[in-house]
Each structure stands twice: as structure tokens, then as C-alpha cells.
Amino acid sequence: QVQLVESGGGLVQAGGSLRLSCAASGRTFSTYAMGWFRQAPGKEREFVAGISKSGSSTDYADSVKGRFTISRDNAKNTVYLQMNSLKPEDTAVYFCAASPVNLHTGYRYWGQGTQVTVSS
């Protein structure tokens, strides 16, 4: 089992940047693919970005391609989401998640979420 704690959310103006971090407990971080998801008020949770166990592969939702970058540091048990050129529609609670399968499926463990608010 792995426990996840997100940080780095906050209020930013449109066009600004934020970097989210997700710290994982345990010694098996590198055996999990990691992902970022988000949920806006009144909407379903959606996939934002995912990264493979080694960090060699990534995938992004079309809505964030070219603006967001996911990365991981297995030595620090941490996954990051660099968010640039933020838009008001990026406002949501952002969750990190861990999958023992791959970056596209099988997300089993979830953090508590961190709020990102983008003002226009």
C-alpha cells in the first residue's frame, strides 16, 4: 500500500504557473505508475497526466498538452505536475494517484487532493 500527499495548490491568475507535488510513502514508489487527475465543481473526475514507473513514458489529456508537464523523482518518492499558461477552466481539485498496472489504468491509491484556482 502507498499513501499519497499532494501540495502546491493555490490561487493564480490566468497565464500563471503552479507546480504540484505528490509525496508517496513506502519503499516501493518505483513499482507504481503515477497520475494526476482533477475534478471541477459539478463535473466528473478526469485524467490529466500520467507517467510510467521508470518515468520513460508520459501521457496527457488533450486539454493540457503543451502546457502541463508530469515528472517523477524515484529517489525522492515524489511526482510533480508543472502547470504553465493556466486558464480559468483549469480550476479544480487536483489528485495524484498510483497504479500498479500502468499509467493508463489501474489507479488504486489516491491522495486527498489540492485545490487549484485560476482567476481570469
Side-chain angles (χ1 to χ4, degrees), residues 14-75:
S17 298
L18 281 175
R19 188 175 83 154
L20 305 183
S21 299
C22 174
S25 65
R27 301 180 180 179
T28 60
F29 179 69
S30 62
T31 67
Y32 293 94
M34 300 297 296
W36 286 96
F37 294 75
R38 67 186 181 187
Q39 187 167 21
K43 295 187 177 181
E44 294 185 354
R45 187 161 53 189
E46 64 175 355
F47 172 83
V48 175
I51 189 166
S52 62
K53 299 172 184 179
S54 67
S56 61
S57 297
T58 58
D59 193 20
Y60 297 90
D62 288 343
S63 58
V64 307
K65 280 181 181 176
R67 300 189 298 123
F68 291 10
T69 302
I70 188 171
S71 61
R72 67 188 295 162
D73 186 336
N74 285 348

Side-chain angles (χ1 to χ4, degrees), residues 48-118:
V48 175
I51 189 166
S52 62
K53 299 172 184 179
S54 67
S56 61
S57 297
T58 58
D59 193 20
Y60 297 90
D62 288 343
S63 58
V64 307
K65 280 181 181 176
R67 300 189 298 123
F68 291 10
T69 302
I70 188 171
S71 61
R72 67 188 295 162
D73 186 336
N74 285 348
K76 295 183 178 180
N77 283 10
T78 302
V79 61
Y80 306 97
L81 186 67
Q82 178 66 45
M83 305 186 295
N84 299 328
S85 302
L86 283 161
K87 304 176 181 179
E89 51 263 44
D90 294 318
T91 295
V93 177
Y94 283 71
F95 301 87
C96 72
S99 168
V101 182
N102 60 54
L103 64 90
H104 297 293
T105 190
Y107 285 97
R108 183 180 302 175
Y109 304 107
W110 296 83
Q112 82 289 348
T114 185
Q115 177 70 47
V116 171
T117 303
V118 184

